[in-house]
Amino acid sequence: KQWYQRRVRGAVPEIFGKGPIASAIKSSNSKLANQMFKTPLPCTNPYFAFYYRSKFEKKPKLQFDRTFVNSEDGGMLGLDKAMEADSSGIISTPQQERPIVLIFPDAASHTFTPRIQTQTAAFLKAGYQDVYICNVRGKCNTPLKTLKISLPYGNDNDVHTCVDYIVDKYRDRRILLSGSSWGALYVVDYLSRSGNFPIRDEVLGGVIHSPVWDFGIFYTNEFLYRLLSKDMVQQLKDSLFPKNSDTLNQAAIEKMGKRNFDEILPMKIDTIERFQFLMDSLVKYEIIADGSMVKDAKEHAWKMSTTSKIGTIEKPLVIINAKDDPVGQIPDTDIAKIEENHNVCLWQFKTGGHCGYVSRMFPRAENIINDLVSECSDILVFKVEN
C-alpha cells in the first residue's frame, strides 16, 4: 500500500524557480498543482506510458488550413492553422484576447497525430482561437526543397521563419510558443538565441513539456535508442536521401562525393554505431550543421540539448517535466541554473514518463498534460505579461 501511494498517487508536482513566472504559478492555487495525479498501474512504467497514450488517445474533430512558408535558403515549412470540423463547440470565445499559439510537435508526431491534436484542442477550449502547428522541413507532406533539415540549434532552427510569417500576418498580436519532446528543443533554442536571428518582441515566451534534456543519451543507451529513436533516425535518412528524388540525391553527391553518398544511402540505421556514423557524416559535410560551430556529431547533440541552454533563456519559459522521464533526467546542477535564471520555471511531477501523463485507462487514454500546458499559458499571459 505504501508503494502504491508513493509510486502511483504521489505525483503532486514540485515547482522550481525564483522569477516572476515561478511566483505566479506558486500563487495561482492551481487545482492541477494540488490534486493527486493518479496513474493507472500499467502506465507507471515510464516507457509504456508514451506508447499507451499514442495508441489509445482519441482525436478531436478538427480540420486544418495549411500554408507553406519559404525560408531564406529556399527551404519550406508547413504551417497548419486549426479549425473546428463541425459545430462541436471546441473553440470557445475568450473574454480577453489571447495570443497566437505556435506548436512544435515531437519527432514522432505531426499535425494529424492524436497527441498534437488533443494539445491543439486544449488551447482552443481555453480560448486561444488562433493555433498554428509547425511541420518542419520534409515532415507531414512538407516538401524537402534543399539538402537541409530543420534542427533545434543555431541557424538551422526555423522557428524565426514561422514567427516572422505570423508577425507579418497578424499585426500587434502576441505569440506564445509551445512544444513537446523534440519539438520543445526548438522553443528552448529560439528563446536562448543561439543563432544569428533576434527574438521578436511579439514573442512573449513559451510553455513546453517533456523536453529531451541531453540528446547525447542516445549515443550511449542502446535500449533508449532502440525504443525511442531508431525509426525516427531512419526517417531522417530517408527524407534527406529519398530514392525517388534525383535532384536531392544529385545535390548530396555533389556535396559528399559519390563514394560517401553510396556508403550512407543503403545503410539501415539499426545500431548506435551506424547512427553515430550517419550523424558524423552529416556534420562533416555540413548537411545538418554549420562547420564553424561544431566539430562532430556529439558536440552537435550536446548543443541541441536543453541542458546546454537552460541558463541563457531570455524570455519567460515554463517547463513541465516528470522525474521518471527516461530522456528528461534533470541533474541538480541544472536545477540550480533554473533557480538562477528568473525567466525559467520548472513544474516537475514524480511520474508521467515521456509525453505520457496518462490519468485514465478507458475509454481512452485521457491525460492532464494538455490542461497543464493551457493553464500555465494563461498564467504567463495574464499574470506575468501584465
Side-chain angles (χ1 to χ4, degrees), residues 236-383:
L236 159 66
K237 185 185 79 79
D238 292 342
S239 65
L240 276 171
F241 310 119
K243 296 179 181 179
N244 60 349
S245 175
D246 294 336
T247 303
L248 282 178
N249 286 347
Q250 188 58 39
I253 291 172
E254 291 175 0
K255 199 164 194 177
M256 302 173 62
K258 186 72 166 66
R259 178 184 173 188
N260 295 306
F261 174 77
D262 288 342
E263 189 173 15
I264 288 176
L265 184 64
M267 182 175 61
K268 186 176 181 180
I269 315 300
D270 54 1
T271 65
I272 286 182
E273 291 73 25
R274 289 188 170 187
F275 166 54
Q276 184 160 345
F277 174 78
L278 172 68
M279 299 304 287
D280 282 338
S281 299
L282 298 182
V283 169
K284 178 181 178 182
Y285 297 103
E286 299 188 2
I287 292 176
I288 65 169
D290 183 339
S292 63
M293 301 180 78
V294 296
K295 61 183 178 181
D296 56 31
K298 285 191 175 180
E299 182 184 359
H300 188 244
W302 184 81
K303 288 189 174 184
M304 287 193 298
S305 302
T306 307
T307 182
S308 67
K309 305 163 189 168
I310 199 63
T312 59
I313 302 296
E314 298 184 10
K315 291 221 174 184
L317 176 68
V318 180
I319 303 172
I320 302 170
N321 166 267
K323 284 186 176 180
D324 64 350
D325 186 339
V327 298
Q329 299 292 311
I330 305 178
D332 292 340
T333 53
D334 286 349
I335 295 289
K337 291 179 182 178
I338 290 171
E339 297 279 3
E340 292 171 2
N341 188 339
H342 287 190
N343 287 321
V344 183
C345 174
L346 171 64
W347 192 330
Q348 190 174 57
F349 285 91
K350 289 184 179 178
T351 62
H354 185 65
C355 298
Y357 303 91
V358 179
S359 57
R360 196 171 77 176
M361 293 191 71
F362 302 106
R364 58 184 182 273
E366 291 186 341
N367 63 89
I368 67 168
I369 191 63
N370 296 322
D371 294 331
L372 277 169
V373 169
S374 60
E375 180 176 292
C376 287
S377 300
D378 280 351
I379 293 172
L380 193 153
V381 171
F382 296 118
K383 292 189 175 182

Side-chain angles (χ1 to χ4, degrees), residues 59-63 83-93 117 120-128:
K59 280 187 179 182
K61 294 181 178 180
L62 296 174
Q63 62 184 16
M83 299 174 290
E84 285 181 290
D86 54 23
S87 57
S88 56
I90 291 178
I91 299 178
S92 62
T93 302
Q117 291 204 8
T120 303
F123 275 115
L124 295 173
K125 288 178 181 177
Y128 294 84

Side-chain angles (χ1 to χ4, degrees), residues 25-309:
I25 287 178
K26 290 175 182 177
S27 63
S28 65
N29 295 319
S30 166
K31 293 181 180 179
L32 291 172
N34 295 319
Q35 73 178 7
M36 297 299 282
F37 166 47
K38 295 189 293 184
T39 305
L41 194 59
C43 297
T44 55
N45 183 314
Y47 303 100
F48 182 72
F50 176 82
Y51 288 101
Y52 186 88
R53 182 181 167 195
S54 301
K55 182 71 174 176
F56 293 102
E57 196 160 29
K58 185 178 179 181
K59 280 187 179 182
K61 294 181 178 180
L62 296 174
Q63 62 184 16
F64 298 88
D65 180 29
R66 169 160 291 194
T67 301
F68 289 114
V69 181
N70 295 314
S71 63
E72 299 88 343
D73 64 347
M76 183 176 286
L77 306 170
L79 267 183
D80 294 329
K81 183 180 180 183
M83 299 174 290
E84 285 181 290
D86 54 23
S87 57
S88 56
I90 291 178
I91 299 178
S92 62
T93 302
Q95 294 178 345
Q96 297 172 277
E97 185 181 69
R98 283 168 164 78
I100 298 163
V101 176
L102 179 57
I103 298 174
F104 293 86
D106 58 83
S109 301
H110 49 75
T111 295
F112 302 105
T113 51
R115 186 158 53 246
I116 299 304
Q117 291 204 8
T118 53
Q119 183 178 348
T120 303
F123 275 115
L124 295 173
K125 288 178 181 177
Y128 294 84
Q129 294 186 309
D130 298 303
V131 181
Y132 283 87
I133 301 168
C134 176
N135 294 287
V136 294
R137 307 180 189 210
K139 191 172 184 179
C140 191
N141 299 320
T142 303
L144 191 67
K145 294 289 188 178
T146 63
L147 193 66
K148 176 185 174 182
I149 60 171
S150 305
L151 287 171
Y153 175 59
N155 297 330
D156 293 331
N157 190 345
D158 285 316
V159 173
H160 69 278
T161 302
C162 300
V163 168
D164 290 347
Y165 170 81
I166 292 174
V167 169
D168 290 340
K169 183 173 181 177
Y170 300 90
R171 297 291 180 180
D172 302 322
R173 290 284 302 278
R174 307 290 275 168
I175 301 173
L176 178 70
L177 306 179
S178 184
S180 57
S181 186
W182 176 258
L185 299 186
Y186 288 95
V187 178
V188 171
D189 184 77
Y190 180 78
L191 296 180
S192 66
R193 199 167 59 175
S194 67
N196 297 330
F197 303 98
I199 303 173
R200 295 294 295 258
D201 292 336
E202 291 83 357
V203 175
L204 63 88
V207 179
I208 62 175
H209 75 86
S210 307
V212 179
W213 205 259
D214 185 353
F215 192 78
I217 193 171
F218 292 110
Y219 286 93
T220 58
N221 190 313
E222 181 81 26
F223 178 73
L224 280 179
Y225 167 74
R226 289 185 172 276
L227 185 70
L228 296 176
S229 68
K230 186 178 72 172
D231 292 339
M232 291 180 276
V233 173
Q234 188 66 40
Q235 290 172 16
L236 159 66
K237 185 185 79 79
D238 292 342
S239 65
L240 276 171
F241 310 119
K243 296 179 181 179
N244 60 349
S245 175
D246 294 336
T247 303
L248 282 178
N249 286 347
Q250 188 58 39
I253 291 172
E254 291 175 0
K255 199 164 194 177
M256 302 173 62
K258 186 72 166 66
R259 178 184 173 188
N260 295 306
F261 174 77
D262 288 342
E263 189 173 15
I264 288 176
L265 184 64
M267 182 175 61
K268 186 176 181 180
I269 315 300
D270 54 1
T271 65
I272 286 182
E273 291 73 25
R274 289 188 170 187
F275 166 54
Q276 184 160 345
F277 174 78
L278 172 68
M279 299 304 287
D280 282 338
S281 299
L282 298 182
V283 169
K284 178 181 178 182
Y285 297 103
E286 299 188 2
I287 292 176
I288 65 169
D290 183 339
S292 63
M293 301 180 78
V294 296
K295 61 183 178 181
D296 56 31
K298 285 191 175 180
E299 182 184 359
H300 188 244
W302 184 81
K303 288 189 174 184
M304 287 193 298
S305 302
T306 307
T307 182
S308 67
K309 305 163 189 168

